[in-house]
Amino acid sequence: MSGFISKLPLTARLLILRQFLWGAAFYGVYVLLTKYFLNELNYSEADTIMVLGAFGAVGPVFSAVGGFVADRYIGAFRAVYIGYTIYAVGFLMLGIGASTASIPLSLMSIAVICYARGLSATCPTVLLGNSFPDDQRDDFQKGLTFNYSINNFGSFLAHYLFPFFVAYIAYQGNFYISFALMCCNVLMFWIFRRQLTAVGNDFDQRPVRKTVWVLFALGSVAMLGVVFWIFSNLDEGKNLLYALGVCAILYFISCIFKASTAYKYRMGCVLIMLFIMICFYFYYGQMMTSMNIYAINLMGDRLLGIIPILPEANSAFNPLWCFVLGAPVIFAYSWLEKKGFNPTIPTKFAAAFVFTAIAFGLLALSTQFVDENSKISADWIMMVHFFQAIAELIVGALGVGFILEMVPKTLSAFAMGLRAVTLSLSGILAAVISTKIALPKDIELTEEIVNSVYTGYFTKLALAALVMAVVTFMLSKVIARLVAKGKAIEQAEGTAGLTEASV
């Protein structure tokens, strides 16, 4: 692994360090929000699930807009630099809001954070992709997996440690730590701005007109207002998120009609993959909604009988396994290639659904092992996250690479936004469905309640994942034919690349 890291371009290493800092800052806040809204702001379980679902969904759905703005107006580097500055402001505001238990300021703070995520989320992958020459695309795919693994290392540290810090520095202290981490990212982007600008898109290489900046500022204020309204009116806000996601997909479809013939086939593959990813990320959304509430209510405070862990830190298992399994997954890909077995990315996605089915099957099984203290062992949650992390590593890294390879460069940031839109649509859907298992506050959890509320719910999710594994495998055959057709057209035209001017 050290040899692989040494071969990475400087900008790639900077961007991977950025991913670590961002992962620690963002997920350090994310892991605390459930208990913060339940205990400090006195929200109900159902309302807290919806807030967490919206928090996970708003940024991704707006990232399609952020990607469009980066592609067409301000550039990828500027989008990240500005976005991370706004992130820092949001974390600072959240810390101030937590110190006074202010609901309006807390909601405005997470609205600012979601806006920052929407503006900046897609562009780091674009910058990372541009850091690798065209003859190092295999290294780029491995770099994506390594980048994803490093992100999860930072996320794990924050998930595990931040809940313990609450006893010493309260919620606001943790939010200020996230503010400091994001300031480090902003400083790094300013110090290495020339190198990072060089791997940006065309708009990073030229000045931005004043009228564009004025329109950008006005649009930002408008978007912040919309995001704040969503968090303040979650019942109506979720419908707006659905509409925005559908509009982004419809815009992509319109781009397919304008593309060259070969790209039409490739972008059609992306459209199918978006459906598959929406279905998969529905399960990802369950981790911070139903699975999180289940663990907070029932998980014990000892891992392997000796390691202390707080129930709200249960989601730390996900980034831990993603980090630990990152290198083995890269090795597995290389080993399979040497053996002459190289399944397509959609086929690997079908395997990911099988791992997800195992994960939620184990979660359903865990409900049968509640002890006399109305708790389940933390080991069950750790095993569940092991299988889900394998699935996530497959989909998270390979999905990004597949989309980037299938779309014109002029749509690269927007296409990354579409990937995030799948996160948003599935995340808010996961939150809405997860409210079905929300319980009243201070209810006594009996064996009958656990079986009636949780067992059937997780069993149905496991069976649905198995069905999606079969559906995805069949769709992988369709995608393979479309990709082959696009390549055949490209070769028939006798071109080394595909024209992008019409998109």
Side-chain angles (χ1 to χ4, degrees), residues 95-332:
I96 297 171
S99 66
T100 59
S102 169
I103 291 177
L105 185 54
S106 296
L107 291 178
M108 177 54 75
S109 300
I110 61 176
V112 171
I113 293 167
C114 286
Y115 169 73
R117 189 181 183 191
L119 177 62
S120 62
T122 64
C123 296
T125 304
V126 175
L127 297 175
L128 184 63
N130 292 343
S131 298
F132 291 85
D134 291 338
D135 59 352
Q136 294 183 17
R137 302 318 291 173
D138 289 341
D139 287 339
F140 170 52
Q141 290 287 352
K142 294 175 182 177
L144 279 173
T145 302
F146 181 66
N147 181 64
Y148 197 70
S149 181
I150 289 297
N151 168 70
N152 281 286
F153 180 58
S155 176
F156 163 70
L157 291 177
H159 272 92
Y160 184 77
L161 294 174
F162 274 43
F164 284 110
F165 291 164
V166 170
Y168 303 98
I169 57 177
Y171 286 98
Q172 60 264 33
N174 286 275
F175 299 151
Y176 292 145
I177 291 175
S178 291
F179 164 69
L181 289 171
M182 195 52 67
C183 285
C184 291
N185 255 338
V186 174
L187 180 62
M188 182 175 67
F189 266 66
W190 183 80
I191 293 173
F192 295 98
R193 58 191 181 280
R194 291 183 180 178
Q195 295 91 329
L196 292 168
T197 299
V199 295
N201 59 21
D202 291 341
F203 287 93
D204 282 309
Q205 317 305 324
R206 63 180 96 155
V208 177
R209 291 176 297 163
K210 291 182 179 180
T211 53
V212 172
W213 283 126
V214 171
L215 291 173
F216 173 76
L218 294 174
S220 296
V221 172
M223 286 182 64
L224 276 172
V226 170
V227 176
F228 180 74
W229 178 83
I230 289 173
F231 281 109
S232 302
N233 303 271
L234 288 172
D235 287 339
E236 298 86 359
K238 70 177 186 294
N239 296 323
L240 176 60
L241 291 176
Y242 290 141
L244 290 172
V246 170
C247 286
I249 293 173
L250 290 175
Y251 174 76
F252 180 75
I253 293 173
S254 72
C255 292
I256 295 177
F257 287 106
K258 299 176 184 178
S260 63
T261 304
Y263 263 128
K264 281 185 172 68
Y265 286 99
R266 292 188 173 192
M267 293 167 72
C269 295
V270 172
L271 203 57
I272 298 173
M273 286 291 284
L274 291 177
F275 164 74
I276 295 172
M277 292 171 78
I278 287 173
C279 294
F280 177 82
Y281 283 124
F282 167 79
Y283 289 92
Y284 183 84
Q286 294 295 325
M287 288 194 298
M288 286 307 295
T289 52
S290 64
M291 192 190 302
N292 189 37
I293 289 293
Y294 173 69
I296 286 175
N297 286 337
L298 289 169
M299 193 181 90
D301 60 359
R302 285 292 184 272
L303 177 64
L304 303 176
I306 56 173
I307 302 174
I309 183 168
L310 295 177
E312 58 266 36
N314 70 88
S315 53
F317 294 129
N318 173 260
L320 171 64
W321 283 125
C322 286
F323 174 71
V324 170
L325 295 171
V329 167
I330 294 174
F331 174 80

Side-chain angles (χ1 to χ4, degrees), residues 291 294 321 354-369 376-377 379-388 454-455 458-459 461-463:
M291 192 190 302
Y294 173 69
W321 283 125
V354 174
F355 287 115
T356 291
I358 296 172
F360 281 86
L362 285 172
L363 199 58
L365 183 62
S366 72
T367 63
Q368 305 306 304
F369 292 87
I376 63 167
S377 170
D379 300 347
W380 280 103
I381 305 299
M382 181 178 68
M383 286 190 294
V384 168
H385 278 292
F386 172 81
F387 289 101
Q388 185 60 21
Y454 296 120
T455 308
F458 293 131
T459 300
L461 290 182
L463 293 174

Side-chain angles (χ1 to χ4, degrees), residues 377-409:
S377 170
D379 300 347
W380 280 103
I381 305 299
M382 181 178 68
M383 286 190 294
V384 168
H385 278 292
F386 172 81
F387 289 101
Q388 185 60 21
I390 296 175
E392 186 182 337
L393 280 170
I394 294 172
V395 175
L398 295 182
V400 168
F402 180 86
I403 292 174
L404 279 178
E405 294 293 334
M406 292 293 110
V407 301
K409 286 187 176 181

